[in-house]
Amino acid sequence: IAATATAAYFSDTETSTGNTFSAGTLNLNVDPADANPDGSNTVKFTVANMKPTDMQTGIYTLNNAGSLTGYLDLESLSVTNNENTRLEPEIQAGDTTNGTGELQVLVDLKVFIDTNGNGVLDGTEVYIYNGKVGSIAANYGVNQQIDAGATTYLTVIVDWPNQATDNQAMGDDMTLNMTFELAQTTAQ
């Protein structure tokens, strides 16, 4: 005799449809309230007739208009220094270079994250850079966290202290360029 058996097990089925994924954003705006609303290029300093003992302070407002937390770095810093002409007082002060000016070796540059945006290094703020303009590195992994929708401040102080060799830079000019990068991770 042969016997057959039927097996029945309970079951239930549910569905999961319409799963969507959208990419978040990082959108760094520099001084968005100024005349440059998209923050793509901000000129903070235009100084003519600079002289020893002059000091200029610029505070950059950095806003993360994206939907993700980002980390701020300074990238592609560069200094261009021009001699223009060697005037008699420059030569008498020891200026022997043609084409390359001395302004970058005489002017101090201070750069720091300014937690309260007042342009003064106080509290727990620490310099990103503090030295002569011409000695600045090309990149700084600042790794300053800027949450989505949040703002942080970066202060730059350009200071020409009185020095015995100041006449070497008479008539010279320099340009400082920097790029602010907001990245998803630190050290990116």
Side-chain angles (χ1 to χ4, degrees):
I1 295 183
T4 59
T6 304
Y9 297 102
F10 293 126
S11 67
D12 184 19
T13 304
E14 301 294 337
T15 60
S16 174
T17 60
N19 297 294
T20 61
F21 302 88
S22 63
T25 60
L26 288 175
N27 183 7
L28 180 64
N29 288 323
V30 179
D31 293 338
D34 286 352
N36 185 27
D38 68 354
S40 60
N41 184 43
T42 301
V43 176
K44 191 59 73 175
F45 299 96
T46 303
V47 181
N49 294 318
M50 190 172 182
K51 62 189 178 309
T53 70
D54 279 357
M55 184 173 73
Q56 303 288 322
T57 299
I59 303 169
Y60 293 91
T61 301
L62 306 169
N63 176 259
N64 180 358
S67 63
L68 300 172
T69 294
Y71 297 88
L72 177 72
D73 289 332
L74 295 178
E75 304 288 331
S76 305
L77 285 100
S78 65
V79 178
T80 304
N81 201 36
N82 298 306
E83 179 68 57
N84 297 322
T85 58
R86 285 178 48 220
L87 303 170
E88 180 184 345
E90 288 181 278
I91 295 167
Q92 290 174 347
D95 184 351
T96 59
T97 61
N98 286 317
T100 303
E102 290 72 31
L103 200 54
Q104 69 178 359
V105 298
L106 295 171
V107 174
D108 293 334
L109 182 69
K110 298 172 175 73
V111 180
F112 58 94
I113 297 295
D114 193 348
T115 55
N116 57 11
N118 68 353
V120 177
L121 186 75
D122 51 18
T124 59
E125 299 157 340
V126 177
Y127 285 117
I128 296 166
Y129 180 75
N130 183 11
K132 298 296 181 190
V133 174
S135 297
I136 196 163
N139 301 300
Y140 288 89
V142 178
N143 296 322
Q144 173 68 33
Q145 181 176 320
I146 307 176
D147 294 331
T151 297
T152 194
Y153 304 96
L154 183 128
T155 292
V156 175
I157 299 172
V158 179
D159 182 22
W160 188 347
N162 190 18
Q163 300 156 88
T165 56
D166 286 336
N167 273 359
Q168 290 182 3
M170 193 179 291
D172 296 357
D173 67 62
M174 68 179 176
T175 302
L176 172 66
N177 297 311
M178 66 180 102
T179 300
F180 302 99
E181 178 193 48
L182 191 63
Q184 182 180 343
T185 61
T186 61
Q188 189 170 328

